[in-house]
Amino acid sequence: MMPSRYLWMTSYASLALLYDDLMSEVDHTAWGNYIDGLIRHFGAPGRSLLDVGCGTGTITIKLQQLGYDVLGIDMSSEMLAIAANKGLQVGLGIDSWLAMDMRALQLPQASFAIAVCACDGVNYLGSNDELDGVFAGLRQALCPGGLLLFDVHTLHKMQHIFPSGPFVQESAAGYCIWSSQYDASAGNATHDLTLFIHEEGELWRRFEETHNQHYFAPDVIQRFLISNGFELLSCQPWGQETGVIAPGTERLQYVARRQ
């Protein structure tokens, strides 16, 4: 189990220091290739790509290396600082990153052919109203025919996988211990994280954070996509272009087109 890339937090400073180490077991190259494959399969009207909730920029950089003209946005200045530093190492300019909350997008109208929100960033929206608002903002940012790609946790994962912890992750820079609870009446998963970051010698610093995710049912997602001028092209188990959504599926991948 891995903490997600886009986190609604008061402070990102502590997690940003550990994030890439904690996510090292995730194959971001395969994730970027998967997104690229979906874009090629469904077709997009250009190569300009908005990565919403880009975090430390690993997937953004992969997509840039695959030939996309990328802009990564995130509400965390700490995450973006790491992303910008990583980008400079591969020739991606500082203007490829922008501090922005996806709930309050301020981007030129019809300026992107593709918008991506990977690693269950959508689940960090707290309500149907926020989901509706984000889809409306993304429609404004996408040109006609543009693609929107995002993934979300399933109810199975929220109800059964998250509460099966606690989970412990270890990296060279520190440790993360996290446990989760799911409130079925509210549709919310609460993740309590305890981070131990190594500073020097025998000195370790402890941080505690709580993060919340919301479950969005497929019919809710489809309804708000349609009401905001999107055509739902695909909803399938993550990692596949097609496929039956089995009871144990943990993540769904959506692809929609801006009409």
Side-chain angles (χ1 to χ4, degrees):
M1 297 294 300
M2 303 300 300
S4 294
R5 192 165 56 121
Y6 199 88
L7 304 173
W8 302 113
M9 297 161 40
T10 303
S11 173
Y12 293 71
S14 56
L15 185 62
L17 295 173
L18 286 180
Y19 190 79
D20 281 347
D21 281 342
L22 295 176
M23 294 290 283
S24 61
E25 68 183 59
V26 176
D27 190 342
H28 289 101
T29 295
W31 203 313
N33 287 336
Y34 175 57
I35 293 172
D36 177 54
L38 290 172
I39 294 169
R40 293 177 182 275
H41 178 77
F42 289 102
R47 305 290 285 180
S48 55
L49 186 148
L50 176 67
D51 187 2
V52 180
C54 66
T56 60
T58 304
I59 291 179
T60 323
I61 291 169
K62 174 59 182 177
L63 291 170
Q64 187 268 342
Q65 292 171 336
L66 289 170
Y68 295 95
D69 181 12
V70 299
L71 174 67
I73 65 170
D74 201 285
M75 65 185 295
S76 165
S77 59
E78 292 85 4
M79 292 282 201
L80 284 174
I82 294 172
N85 184 60
K86 288 160 60 176
L88 289 173
Q89 296 176 33
V90 295
L92 198 57
I94 196 71
D95 58 349
S96 297
W97 314 99
L98 187 62
M100 186 176 294
D101 188 333
M102 68 174 169
R103 297 168 296 181
L105 293 176
Q106 298 181 20
L107 296 164
Q109 188 170 353
S111 52
F112 294 93
I114 305 154
V116 171
C117 185
C119 301
D120 51 89
V122 166
N123 288 115
Y124 285 91
L125 299 171
S127 66
N128 287 352
D129 286 345
E130 288 190 353
L131 180 68
D132 186 27
V134 167
F135 284 166
L138 289 171
R139 185 186 188 280
Q140 291 294 315
L142 284 167
C143 63
L147 287 183
L148 170 60
L149 303 95
F150 61 94
D151 59 82
V152 296
H153 294 312
T154 62
L155 183 59
H156 169 74
K157 188 170 186 179
M158 289 281 204
Q159 284 186 324
H160 302 293
I161 304 300
F162 282 146
S164 65
F167 307 99
V168 180
Q169 296 169 255
E170 178 182 356
S171 75
Y175 297 84
C176 175
I177 303 170
W178 65 297
S179 59
S180 302
Q181 295 180 337
Y182 181 70
D183 180 351
S185 62
N188 292 330
T190 301
H191 310 297
D192 293 313
L193 280 68
T194 301
L195 305 169
F196 295 91
I197 298 177
H198 183 233
E199 294 197 346
E200 60 179 349
E202 297 183 358
L203 177 61
W204 293 74
R205 194 168 299 277
R206 174 176 173 167
F207 300 88
E208 293 185 353
E209 300 169 348
T210 298
H211 310 291
N212 298 297
Q213 288 190 304
H214 187 74
Y215 169 67
F216 293 104
D219 64 311
V220 171
I221 291 174
Q222 182 173 1
R223 172 159 50 92
F224 284 118
L225 283 171
I226 292 172
S227 67
N228 281 290
F230 287 94
E231 175 191 3
L232 178 60
L233 301 178
S234 178
C235 171
Q236 71 273 327
W238 185 89
Q240 304 177 28
E241 290 186 358
T242 60
V244 176
I245 301 173
T249 299
E250 296 185 13
R251 184 184 298 271
L252 296 178
Q253 176 68 49
Y254 284 82
V255 183
R257 190 180 303 281
R258 192 259 206 220
Q259 296 180 314

